[in-house]
Amino acid sequence: MRTVLLLMVLSAVVPVRLFGTAQFEAQVNPDAVYVGETFELSFSLTGADWGQLDLPDLSAFERVSGPAMAIRTTIINGRMERVTTHTYRLRGLQEGTFSIPEARMFTDGKIYTSSPVQVMVLDRDEHAPTDRPFFAKATLSCDTCYVGQQIVLDLVLYSRVPIADYAVMQEAELTGFHSRRFRNLRNIRTGRDTLDGRLYNTRVLARYILFPQHRGEFGGEHFELRVVEEDRDPRWRGMFRLRGEVHYTRVKIPEFTVLNTPPNAPEGFNGHIGDFEISTVYRDHQLKQGELWPVSVIVRGNGDPASMRPPAFKLSEGLTLSDIRLQRDDVTERGGGLRTTREWQALFRADSAGLATIDSYLIAYQTGRDTFKKISGERINAFVEPGDLLGDGDPETVAPSADEDQSRQREGVPNWMVYTGFPVLLIMGFLFYLFFLKRSAVRTALNDEEALLKKLKQASTFSGQTDKSHYAKVLDVLDQYILHLIKVPMSEWDENLLETHLTNELDDNRAEKLLDLRKNLIAVVFGNQTVKEDDITQLIKDLISDLG
């Protein structure tokens, strides 16, 4: 009661931001009872303030108590959702299947109508237990499923006698699936169900979460169960319970089909099946031209962890994706299933000045709605200041041009030597021009490489900044040096490509040292890992020594 009062006070004081369309729903629990037993009829209003409730005709039942009011409030991303529920306890008076008509809610000048619900009332004497006192079966959340979809497999016990104990003695092999047994069954409610006109108590004995890995026809495998009936000897009733008869039973998984992908998949769909959300974490809002921009991209959803790939990115002009790698992978039990959180560390390179923006998105197939949906993350942006991509280097050497002598005849030199020597001098001048032009090009390339090596040496020495910012600067210069060597855009880089191209440009030993240094720098800057300063310093010195 104190919790309800506190929530009422908070809802009156704190501004509430309701989202989504208001919903008014009715529900019965359980939906099948014997004559004389009670059940609950609940009306829930979501997304609006409770108003005036117009109850339907309940004359077929005896009203035992109610209404009992409950308020549940949740906050998601700063938005508050409030659900108000009124519950009545009713008793079934006579056998039959009864339809409870829709109820109406008047609030905020609008009228909301609930859907009708049904409750079955059975005659206890007519449906006395004359056949099996209990049995178990397996149920699946779908009969036509897709690769990567989360499938819920429940082992359900149906009983009309008290059960003292149960256990799964042998599990099915579940070949072709990534499977995990769901451990938190506390919030999965027991219930009742009718089969062949008889009322059973139901209980979920075990739940398995399956992720199919390939298409095909599945089912037919068995679970082995051990079920112990409670001792019903009247001599012990009221004192303590003794274990009774032990039964062993087999439960067969029903047949079902797994397809590769949903039909009519749109362009950009890469296997995300389920409900997902995207969030991003970044710090820098001010960049310099040529600087790398680290962004953490987090995808959460109930899809298969093996098929949860990083989202796609829509980038502004001058911004390119340099590198992306998996940083964190967590799977937790939530809402009766598994929820996966995957975090990627992405590196974006700002090659032009101005406003840089990143829009992350993925296309997912939502099985419950049988539709494809584009899931978008929040747009992030930064301002890029102009800067020099490669830094200051030595000026290019200009090739000297040939000095054209206008056949100036010197005193004492014969004319034939003048006329014959002019073409020879012209040819020799042209050859010297080609020689110096090639040498100038080689020298220019060497100057660029020397400038980058010089920047690498400067960046490798501490200048009062933190370790991460220091190593980030070294990594930035190292990537510029690699880009200068292989001439391949950073958006196309991967481990195999870098290894192939660097081996072609350098020998195996130097290429290996360069890649090893880059791997350690990325681990420190983006992987939250601790590496000894002396180790990285030694790697940098060895590499500069080999390259220089």
Side-chain angles (χ1 to χ4, degrees), residues 116-129:
V117 292
Q118 285 189 341
V119 60
M120 181 182 295
V121 182
L122 303 174
D123 185 5
R124 186 183 297 272
D125 295 332
E126 181 181 349
H127 297 287

Side-chain angles (χ1 to χ4, degrees), residues 168-216:
V168 179
M169 303 300 294
Q170 183 175 344
E171 299 179 337
E173 293 185 2
L174 300 175
T175 305
F177 298 87
H178 288 160
S179 63
R180 172 171 168 174
R181 186 167 178 174
F182 190 84
R183 298 297 177 184
N184 185 14
L185 291 175
R186 293 192 302 262
N187 297 325
I188 300 178
R189 301 176 61 181
T190 58
R192 287 185 172 181
D193 199 357
T194 55
L195 291 175
D196 299 328
R198 289 180 170 81
L199 184 63
Y200 288 87
N201 296 314
T202 62
R203 182 170 186 175
V204 177
L205 302 184
R207 169 167 288 186
Y208 296 85
I209 307 299
L210 311 179
F211 295 104
Q213 301 302 298
H214 57 82
R215 60 172 298 179

